[in-house]
DNA sequence: GGTATATGTAAACACTGTTGACCTGTCAAA
DNA sequence: TTTGACAGGTCAACAGTGTTTACATATACC
């Protein structure tokens, strides 16, 4: 039952459960970053890690498990942007969105954004967006309409991300950064308005 | 060089270039509609159409060509919603978005929306969204900032569509339909504001 | 009739993710 | 020390995928 490996007690053995897991994960991270999820095969990851293909499924269940693990470690949609003063929430979110629009952030984040549409990853991202974006937002906002407000915020944030994939978002990136950030912020602010006042036109 | 088929001049022969093309396309449409793009294999389409697999690639280049053709025929993102009185543009777009949010529209449309993330289809949807959504919007809007405005509109529209895939959009669908439509319309309206006025708070 | 050409067929290719059977080395108990 | 158990690793195969190539066939024209 106990682990018989790490006999030397060293920091980095090249074999054994944890060492192999780590090497696979590191290879996956590097390859996904440079080539995207869909373009990297299990065998390629295994070869790069100097490890047998079957071990990927042994340790991560399936290829998708690698990405799940990377997301868990890296926190691609960090709840961090939610935390902070309430009156600056939309500003933080807008800056985050525009930053993503400009392709900033970790190379891995960019790669995973690009791979988000893969059918194999759909359930992964679905759960991730819900648990790391919509639910934290709803909890942070509070109130009876928290979920609707959170979904609207998510719509704008995801929409901006999506238009980058489709278009490169050239025209938006060419604008003064503060201008587009301000506009996104205004959109987010509008998402948060109460739903009572029907027709303010 | 000329077409030797359709010798009888009948309406529906079961062999020959056009007949085969049509049968493949009809099968693809039916299967994609019911099972989505990624879950339907080339062989399955061919079997359903009673046709050899190789003919798919002969007549449509590749599997993706089937979907390109279906999109071309069906006009999934019709420029129709753009046409109309200018002061009702956002209303039309909002109604369209909310309608999609509720999963209305053709079954095929719904299926293709769901398949939009497939890596194999990325270039197809990229071109389609650009040519059938962003460019018509930009042309319709006019002005020096037309492209930025069109991209912002697209962000909201695509974002609303995306949140449906992720969440089922339960909370948004449970709301009074007019309320959510109004809110989306307001968001779209805000997208169209000039970028000059920097800080209206 | 002969022949070029369009259409349809069968089989393979080069992949993919995944799995099951099989070694192998190390540790614990007898 | 011998035995047995078991975690860790290897290999080959499975069942799929999209796509292509070489071949057979039927049609239409000269």
């Amino acid at each position: 039952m106990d682990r018989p490996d790490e006999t030397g007690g060293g920091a980095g053995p090249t074999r054994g459960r944890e060492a192999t897991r780590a090497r696979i994960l590191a290879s996956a991270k590097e390859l996904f970053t440079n080539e995207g999820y869909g373009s990297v095969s299990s065998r390629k990851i295994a070869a790069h890690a100097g490890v047998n293909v079957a071990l990927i499924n042994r340790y991560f269940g399936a290829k998708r498990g690698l990405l799940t693990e990377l997301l868990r470690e890296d926190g691609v949609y960090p709840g961090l942007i939610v935390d902070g003063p309430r009156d600056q929430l939309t500003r933080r979110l807008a800056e985050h969105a525009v930053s993503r629009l400009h392709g900033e952030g970790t190379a891995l984040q960019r790669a995973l954004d690009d791979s988000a549409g893969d059918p194999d990853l759909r359930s992964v991202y679905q759960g991730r967006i819900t648990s790391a974006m919509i639910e934290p937002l709803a909890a942070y906002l509070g109130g009876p309409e928290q979920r609707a407000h959170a979904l609207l915020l998510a719509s704008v944030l995801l929409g901006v991300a999506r238009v980058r994939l489709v278009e490169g978002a050239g025209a938006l990136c060419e604008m003064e950064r503060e201008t587009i950030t301000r506009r996104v912020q205004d959109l987010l602010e509008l998402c948060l308005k109460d739903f009572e006042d029907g027709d303010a036109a």
Side-chain angles (χ1 to χ4, degrees), chain A:
Chain A
M1 292 296 184
D2 41 0
R3 286 169 289 151
D5 51 315
E6 296 179 40
T7 48
T14 54
R15 291 175 71 94
R17 183 180 181 85
E18 289 312 313
T20 311
R21 253 189 71 100
R23 291 176 54 186
I24 293 174
L25 215 47
S27 292
K29 184 171 182 172
E30 179 180 338
L31 292 172
F32 287 166
T33 300
N34 294 329
E35 311 178 29
Y37 178 84
S39 309
V40 179
S41 70
S42 302
R43 285 172 177 82
K44 192 168 189 172
I45 297 171
H48 187 274
V51 143
N52 194 282
V53 208
L55 294 181
I56 291 180
N57 289 53
R58 175 189 288 280
Y59 289 127
F60 298 94
K63 187 190 173 189
R64 132 174 12 93
L66 284 170
L67 197 126
T68 308
E69 191 63 22
L70 286 177
L71 282 175
R72 208 180 57 78
E73 287 187 354
D74 233 69
V76 174
Y77 291 107
L80 299 174
I81 49 173
V82 172
D83 298 332
R86 165 75 184 247
D87 61 342
Q88 291 167 20
L89 173 67
T90 54
R91 178 70 195 182
R92 289 198 300 280
L93 293 175
E95 281 173 354
H96 177 77
V98 172
S99 142
R100 285 299 179 86
L101 192 67
H102 284 254
E104 295 166 7
T106 315
L108 178 62
Q109 288 177 345
R110 229 174 310 139
L112 297 190
D113 278 356
D114 289 3
S115 305
D118 197 298
D120 188 38
L121 301 180
R122 188 155 151 177
S123 65
V124 177
Y125 279 95
Q126 203 161 321
R128 181 122 197 111
I129 289 175
T130 301
S131 71
M133 187 174 189
I134 295 175
E135 284 175 359
L137 277 173
Y140 182 93
L141 293 171
E145 296 166 332
Q146 50 173 254
R147 192 142 196 94
H149 282 145
L151 282 174
L152 278 177
L153 288 181
S155 293
V156 173
L157 295 174
L158 294 175
V160 169
R162 188 133 184 88
V163 96
R164 185 184 82 90
L165 293 185
V166 169
E167 252 276 318
L172 292 182
C173 288
E174 288 165 10
M175 298 177 55
E176 190 69 32
R177 179 146 178 169
E178 176 58 24
T179 306
I180 183 65
T181 306
R182 202 46 153 284
R183 176 57 55 93
V184 172
Q185 183 180 352
D186 289 346
L187 284 170
L188 295 171
E189 207 68 61
L190 179 51
C191 292
L192 293 178
K193 270 181 59 183
D194 288 341
F195 287 104
E196 266 63 45
D197 40 75
D199 36 3

